[in-house]
Structures are given as C-alpha cells and as structure tokens.
Amino acid sequence: MDISKLDRAAVLAALYNHARPQGMGFFHFDPKPMTVEQAKEILATGQTYFDYVKGRVMKVDLSKGFPVLLSFDLDAETMWTARDPKNAERPIVMSQGAYGWKVGVPRILDLLDRYGLKVTFFVPGLVMEQRPAMVEAILKQGHEIAHQSWSHAWIVNLTLPQEREEMDKGIEVIQRMTGRKPVGYRSPEAEFSPHTLRMLHEYGFGYSSNYFDDDSPYLHRIDGRLTDIVEFPFAWGLDDAPFFQY
C-alpha cells in the first residue's frame, strides 16, 4: 500500500494506537495513546522501521508503506454444491459460481499486475483440480494459494474423520499443484469445529484468517498455551459476499 501521499506521523500514531501490547517483561507498555506530535518527534530521528514502540507490536516500515493482507476467496461453484449437491443440476445457480473463474479472476489478476501487488487466494482443492489453467495463471504472477478445504463443505456439519479428509485432500492438491504445502488456512464460511484449531497446529499451518475478534494480528492459544499460529482477522464488511448473496 502506497502511503507517500499520507501524513506519516498520522499513520504511525494510528497504527500505534491500534497495536496490541506485547506481554514481555523487557518491554514497558504505555497505555497512553500517541499523538501526531509525538509521532513526528519519533520520525524526526530518522527511524522508519519499527518492531516495537513503547511495548506495542508494530512491524511496520514507513519508508515505503505498511503491510496489509489482501486476499480473495475463490469458491466458484462449490459455494452452491456444498450447500446442496442438487444445485449442480441448476445451470443458472451454477453460473454465479462460474463468474469467478471465468471473468473475476482474469480481471483481478490484471489489476494486481498493474499495481505490482502480491496477494493470497484461498481456493478449495476441488476448484483447483477443476480449473488448472486458472491455478497456473495465479501462480505465474507470484501469488500465494492457501487452503480453503477440499469441497467447501460446512465444517460444523462434518464428523472429525470427514473434517480431516477435507484437510488432507486440500493439502495434497495444493502441494501437488504449487510444489509446496499451504501455509495459510481460511475455513468455508468462517466456521470452526472444536477440532479445527488443533488440526491447524498439528498440520503445521503458519496462519489462519478466520476470526472477527480483533483488527490486528495475534497469536492463537490452545488450552491456554501460546502457539505460533498467527491470526489475521477479517470482517464481513470488507468482504463482497454479503453484498453479493444478500
């Protein structure tokens, strides 16, 4: 994201005031918000990269911009077939899913290429197998493909063996078609079972993008223990699905 036209002091103050405190003894968390004037004083020292500021996690380089996670869910026809397999016999319903891979993806790839952006596509394994040319186009531009199940089946309706099968098949197809195991995971319809988070830890996922309980990244806990699974929260208001479907 280009911030060259934004007031960098205002950006630093805003990021600081929304950052999470780091609970480590050698960092002293300052509960007071940062003013723009205070941010200007910090930037006047010439520093532009920040790991931590007054005990708050930042991880931001203001010399070029600041990081955002820009992602796309490419459910295609599985959005409807996962709800009811009989939808496969309804061509008009299915055409809503086909729009994504036929029209949406090429336009998005062109736009991303124009601005030099690298993003993440969360794609069900079944869609990847059905649309190999689309997968090739995504990978050719250097984008990440992350896990979004095998068939987009609703996790809350699955048994543990069924959920594991969705996980295994999704991992297999991503590894086979991209050459590496997936690092990120987004569940169908942002639903977790009581087993999902433990499964992500077991399979060695690096991040999840499913929860709504924050607007900053954080590390997940399992049974009270901190893991290395980073959560990148999202919000339905930033997703086109509610506007598209309802």
Side-chain angles (χ1 to χ4, degrees):
M1 179 179 291
D2 182 11
I3 63 167
S4 60
K5 297 181 181 179
L6 300 179
D7 185 299
R8 297 191 180 190
V11 171
L12 177 60
L15 290 175
Y16 174 86
N17 292 332
H18 289 84
R20 294 173 62 84
Q22 179 74 10
M24 302 175 69
F26 52 88
F27 287 115
H28 300 288
F29 169 61
D30 186 348
K32 298 178 181 178
M34 178 184 292
T35 67
V36 174
E37 291 303 317
Q38 289 172 326
K40 286 181 179 179
E41 292 178 5
I42 294 174
L43 292 172
T45 66
Q47 183 179 1
T48 57
Y49 180 80
F50 302 90
D51 277 312
Y52 307 94
V53 178
K54 298 182 180 180
R56 303 196 191 196
V57 180
M58 299 291 286
K59 304 295 183 184
V60 61
D61 185 353
L62 293 179
S63 65
K64 298 179 180 179
F66 54 90
V68 297
L69 175 63
L70 182 60
S71 64
F72 298 88
D73 290 3
L74 187 52
D75 308 332
E77 293 90 342
T78 62
M79 170 64 74
W80 286 270
T81 54
R83 295 181 177 185
D84 185 352
K86 292 183 179 179
N87 280 332
E89 303 171 5
R90 302 172 63 188
I92 303 301
V93 170
M94 296 297 283
S95 71
Q96 298 178 74
Y99 181 90
W101 60 264
K102 287 179 67 177
V103 180
V105 169
R107 289 181 178 173
I108 288 170
L109 290 178
D110 285 345
L111 182 65
L112 296 173
D113 185 57
R114 190 184 315 160
Y115 290 97
L117 298 175
K118 303 302 180 186
V119 306
T120 298
F121 287 85
F122 292 94
V123 192
L126 180 59
V127 176
M128 293 180 65
E129 285 208 330
Q130 292 172 337
R131 312 296 171 197
M134 177 199 70
V135 172
E136 184 178 354
I138 292 172
L139 295 176
K140 186 177 181 180
Q141 290 195 9
H143 303 297
E144 176 191 23
I145 292 182
H147 199 302
Q148 202 187 17
S149 81
W150 162 252
S151 67
H152 209 266
W154 264 236
I155 284 181
V156 293
N157 296 329
L158 302 179
T159 64
L160 178 56
Q162 289 172 330
E163 182 177 353
R164 187 172 292 278
E165 182 181 13
E166 286 279 318
M167 185 68 74
D168 287 338
K169 293 177 73 173
I171 291 174
E172 188 279 326
V173 70
I174 290 176
Q175 191 164 14
R176 172 162 44 86
M177 297 184 74
T178 71
R180 61 184 182 180
K181 290 181 64 175
V183 177
Y185 178 82
R186 179 172 288 161
S187 67
E189 297 304 302
E191 292 281 4
F192 269 25
S193 77
H195 315 288
T196 308
L197 190 55
R198 287 185 174 85
M199 203 174 292
L200 295 184
H201 190 257
E202 174 190 340
Y203 282 86
F205 279 88
Y207 73 89
S208 153
S209 184
N210 295 280
Y211 282 68
F212 302 87
D213 54 349
D214 209 325
D215 51 17
S216 298
Y218 61 88
L219 294 176
H220 275 289
R221 291 181 179 270
I222 298 178
D223 297 329
R225 295 184 177 181
L226 200 64
T227 73
D228 56 359
I229 301 174
V230 179
E231 178 62 38
F232 292 103
F234 79 103
W236 283 122
L238 301 176
D239 193 306
D240 66 350
F243 308 100
F244 177 58
Q245 296 192 56
Y246 306 107

